[in-house]
Amino acid sequence: RKGKLVEAINEIEKAKKLQPKDAYLKDLKAELYMRHKKFSLAAEEYRTASEIEPKNALILAGYGRALLAANQTAKALGILKKSRQIDFRNTRMMRDLAVAYAKVGQNGMASLITAERFALQGKIADAHLHARRSLGMLPRGSPGWQRADDILDFKIKK
């Protein structure tokens, strides 16, 4: 928090010598790198953390975010989708997933994920807006199209 990256990394390295398979320490180191805009280093730390904890949705979400920041969009998309399969309620991850979809030109999926994120947050009017947008871009009857159509069934409280 004091901006002393080198000192913080040194302390984490000391702790890692005691607990070399602690994914949390790798996650912490990755987060420090993210805060200092060292995205490739963060992605590498998240990758090793995800090897230790391959089903940890938060670590995978961080890994995807770091890859996205490092302009490794296609890889980020795969990691973020995996994180979402484990935990679909992480709205920060969903924001990153929507950005990744948009960056690879899948705007219908980006709008769908955004609609689902707003629905989870209880922002139904915003969810409807993005769901309608995605309906126009996704193949009619596809799983994504059906999910968007389901969102439109949510009622807006007045």
Side-chain angles (χ1 to χ4, degrees):
R1 291 185 183 183
K2 294 181 179 181
K4 297 179 180 179
L5 178 62
V6 175
E7 291 89 342
I9 297 298
N10 288 338
E11 290 301 315
I12 292 170
E13 288 302 320
K14 288 178 190 175
K16 280 172 53 177
K17 286 179 182 173
L18 299 171
Q19 298 286 335
K21 294 292 184 181
D22 189 334
Y24 170 73
L25 292 172
K26 292 181 184 300
D27 176 74
L28 181 61
K29 188 174 177 182
E31 185 58 36
L32 285 170
Y33 282 139
M34 287 293 288
R35 289 181 187 185
H36 286 85
K37 301 186 183 334
K38 297 182 182 298
F39 305 124
S40 295
L41 292 172
E44 183 58 27
E45 289 298 324
Y46 277 125
R47 183 190 62 73
T48 57
S50 71
E51 289 172 353
I52 296 168
E53 295 280 341
K55 294 183 180 180
N56 185 313
L58 290 175
I59 288 174
L60 291 171
Y63 184 21
R65 186 176 321 109
L67 289 168
L68 198 57
N71 292 317
Q72 296 181 43
T73 307
K75 191 171 183 180
L77 181 60
I79 298 296
L80 291 165
K81 285 164 68 173
K82 187 176 176 182
S83 174
R84 185 163 193 262
Q85 288 173 346
I86 298 166
D87 180 8
F88 65 91
R89 297 169 302 233
N90 181 337
T91 56
R92 184 173 181 190
M93 173 276 303
M94 291 178 76
R95 183 197 152 284
D96 294 334
L97 181 57
V99 168
Y101 272 123
K103 283 187 169 190
V104 297
Q106 293 186 35
N107 294 328
M109 286 303 294
S111 288
L112 171 61
I113 297 299
T114 301
E116 291 174 336
R117 177 171 56 93
F118 280 129
L120 281 172
Q121 293 172 325
K123 299 175 181 176
I124 304 304
D126 292 328
H128 281 184
L129 175 86
H130 289 279
R132 278 191 294 278
R133 184 177 295 155
S134 67
L135 285 175
M137 293 184 267
L138 296 170
R140 184 173 183 81
S142 68
W145 187 93
Q146 290 175 354
R147 286 170 29 206
D149 192 49
D150 288 344
I151 290 171
L152 292 177
D153 289 339
F154 296 165
K155 302 296 181 224
I156 300 172
K157 294 181 183 180
K158 295 182 182 188

